[in-house]
């Protein structure tokens, strides 16, 4: 089974979105021990955004998985009022049956259809942040943070917050490293979490990365993950393949300082292939 195998490895952060698929309320397919389970829309929870997917109930295995692995959730990018954010947190707790969430983050500083546009939603994000602070104070959430926030987005919260964002989950990998943002987060005591540390697989196609990985006798994926760790960030690779999980965890080597500098300043990735349509992978600059 994929999840028990993952749990046996030295991973302590899991995103199991890759093991299920729900699109526009169509039947969902969940792979468990090689068996396919098809669930109708009656089995699905209301559309609560969890990493572009949904979770469902009435499956004991998934309920256990949810308690173990789905305690990091997100306030949807489109929710930009204190009331709406607070309601979403309460609904998430009720629907999942959890007593508290380990981590809750604002998914984006702007709604996805306005990602990196001129309107920055500074005041709205301060209101959403207050909802997260309230939830933490009430014991509903342990760790509160943000995702896809730029330096000025963070400065906006830091100017008036009661609690600093504890994490900033960003797109970070070889060929796309915002060193200024990473260093700012570290100076503020904000833990950087790197999603797609292998560039949604595109890094594996990069000859320069492959050559560097060969120098260390590791796979390109392991080099990418080690790179993120040496930047002081948490790497969040996503895979449903147990062998890849084991490979991703085997990062007990050190990239030299010289090679780290080379990787930090590697030519920026041109596109993310089929995933370029997602706002965070679009390469769209701030308006």
């Amino acid at each position: 089974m994929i999840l028990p195998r993952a749990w046996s490895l030295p991973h302590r952060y899991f995103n199991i979105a890759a093991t299920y698929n729900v699109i526009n309320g169509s039947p969902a397919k969940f792979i468990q021990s090689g068996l396919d389970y098809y669930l109708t829309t009656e089995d699905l929870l209301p559309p609560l955004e969890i990493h572009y997917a949904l979770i469902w109930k009435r499956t004991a295995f998934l309920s256990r998985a949810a308690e173990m692995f789905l305690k990091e959730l997100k306030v949807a990018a489109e929710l930009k009022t204190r009331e709406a954010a607070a309601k979403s947190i309460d609904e998430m707790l009720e629907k999942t049956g959890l007593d508290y969430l380990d981590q809750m983050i604002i998914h984006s500083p702007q709604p996805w259809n306005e990602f990196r546009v001129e309107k920055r939603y500074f005041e709205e994000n301060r209101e959403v942040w207050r909802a997260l602070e309230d939830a933490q104070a009430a014991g509903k959430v342990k760790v509160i943070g943000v995702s896809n926030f730029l330096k000025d987005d963070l400065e906006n919260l830091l100017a008036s917050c009661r609690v600093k964002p504890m994490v900033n989950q960003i797109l970070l990998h070889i060929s796309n490293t915002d060193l200024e943002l990473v260093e700012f987060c570290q100076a503020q005591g904000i833990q950087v979490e790197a999603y797609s540390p292998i560039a949604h697989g595109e890094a594996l196609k990069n000859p320069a990365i492959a050559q560097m990985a060969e120098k260390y006798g590791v796979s390109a994926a392991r080099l990418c993950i080690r790179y993120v760790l040496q930047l002081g960030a948490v790497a969040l690779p996503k895979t449903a393949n147990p062998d890849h999980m084991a490979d991703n965890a085997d990062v007990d080597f050190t990239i030299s300082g010289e090679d780290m500098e080379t990787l930090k300043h590697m030519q920026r990735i041109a596109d993310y292939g089929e995933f370029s349509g997602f706002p965070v992978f679009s390469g769209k600059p701030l308006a």
Side-chain angles (χ1 to χ4, degrees):
M1 294 172 64
I2 292 174
L3 290 176
R5 171 76 180 277
W7 189 250
S8 69
L9 298 171
H11 291 292
R12 285 300 176 266
Y13 186 108
F14 299 88
N15 177 351
I16 64 168
T19 64
Y20 57 90
N21 182 20
V22 182
I23 301 176
N24 296 327
S26 61
K29 176 180 177 180
F30 179 62
I31 303 175
Q32 176 186 348
S33 301
L35 300 177
D36 295 340
Y37 289 80
Y38 292 88
L39 305 175
T40 67
T41 52
E42 292 180 356
D43 294 295
L44 296 175
L45 296 174
L48 302 173
E49 184 177 2
I50 306 176
H51 226 283
Y52 306 107
L54 305 174
I55 62 172
W56 54 84
K57 57 185 176 179
R58 290 195 295 187
T59 303
F61 179 80
L62 187 58
S63 295
R64 178 171 174 267
E67 183 145 359
M68 292 170 64
F69 305 119
L70 284 182
K71 285 195 174 184
E72 189 267 38
L73 303 174
K74 299 175 175 70
V75 174
E78 290 69 30
L79 301 182
K80 290 302 176 189
T81 68
R82 187 174 186 171
E83 294 75 16
K87 181 180 178 182
S88 74
I89 294 169
D90 289 340
E91 287 181 345
M92 193 68 70
L93 288 168
E94 180 182 354
K95 302 300 182 183
T96 59
L98 300 175
D99 296 325
Y100 66 90
L101 301 173
D102 285 328
Q103 182 169 299
M104 192 81 176
I105 61 180
I106 303 174
H107 206 171
S108 168
Q110 298 144 310
W112 293 124
N113 62 356
E114 299 179 70
F115 190 67
R116 301 292 189 247
V117 299
E118 184 175 356
K119 181 173 173 56
R120 302 303 303 281
Y121 286 86
F122 285 145
E123 179 56 37
E124 291 86 349
N125 284 323
R126 286 196 292 268
E127 288 298 307
V128 175
W129 187 250
R130 290 183 183 107
L132 287 178
E133 290 176 322
D134 293 342
Q136 185 190 55
K140 298 176 182 179
V141 182
K142 298 297 183 181
V143 173
I144 54 177
V146 297
S147 181
N148 299 302
F149 272 49
L150 300 177
K151 180 181 176 181
D152 58 352
D153 293 313
L154 292 169
E155 288 174 331
N156 172 57
L157 297 184
L158 292 170
S160 62
C161 64
R162 289 175 282 156
V163 179
K164 282 186 178 183
M166 299 175 180
V167 301
N168 187 17
Q169 193 176 107
I170 61 174
L171 180 61
L172 175 66
H173 57 77
I174 299 172
S175 74
N176 190 350
T177 303
D178 188 338
L179 288 174
E180 182 182 5
L181 178 57
V182 171
E183 290 168 0
F184 176 80
C185 288
Q186 291 172 340
Q188 295 296 325
I190 300 171
Q191 177 63 57
V192 174
E193 295 180 347
Y195 64 80
S196 298
I198 310 172
H200 241 308
E202 293 301 310
L204 306 181
K205 306 173 186 177
N206 187 313
I209 294 176
Q211 184 177 8
M212 182 77 75
E214 185 177 357
K215 173 182 176 178
Y216 288 91
V218 299
S219 66
R222 286 168 64 192
L223 182 77
C224 289
I225 293 169
R226 182 65 198 180
Y227 168 77
V228 165
L229 295 176
Q230 285 189 217
L231 287 177
V234 175
L236 306 177
K238 182 170 71 174
T239 181
N241 185 311
D243 293 329
H244 291 171
M245 290 179 190
D247 188 58
N248 292 345
D250 187 10
V251 289
D252 188 19
F253 66 99
T254 301
I255 303 172
S256 72
E258 181 180 358
D259 287 341
M260 281 295 292
E261 289 303 310
T262 298
L263 295 174
K264 286 177 185 178
H265 302 288
M266 187 169 286
Q267 183 177 355
R268 187 177 177 84
I269 188 171
D271 66 74
Y272 291 87
E274 63 180 301
F275 298 101
S276 295
F278 287 89
V280 295
F281 299 120
S282 66
K284 183 178 179 181
L286 183 63

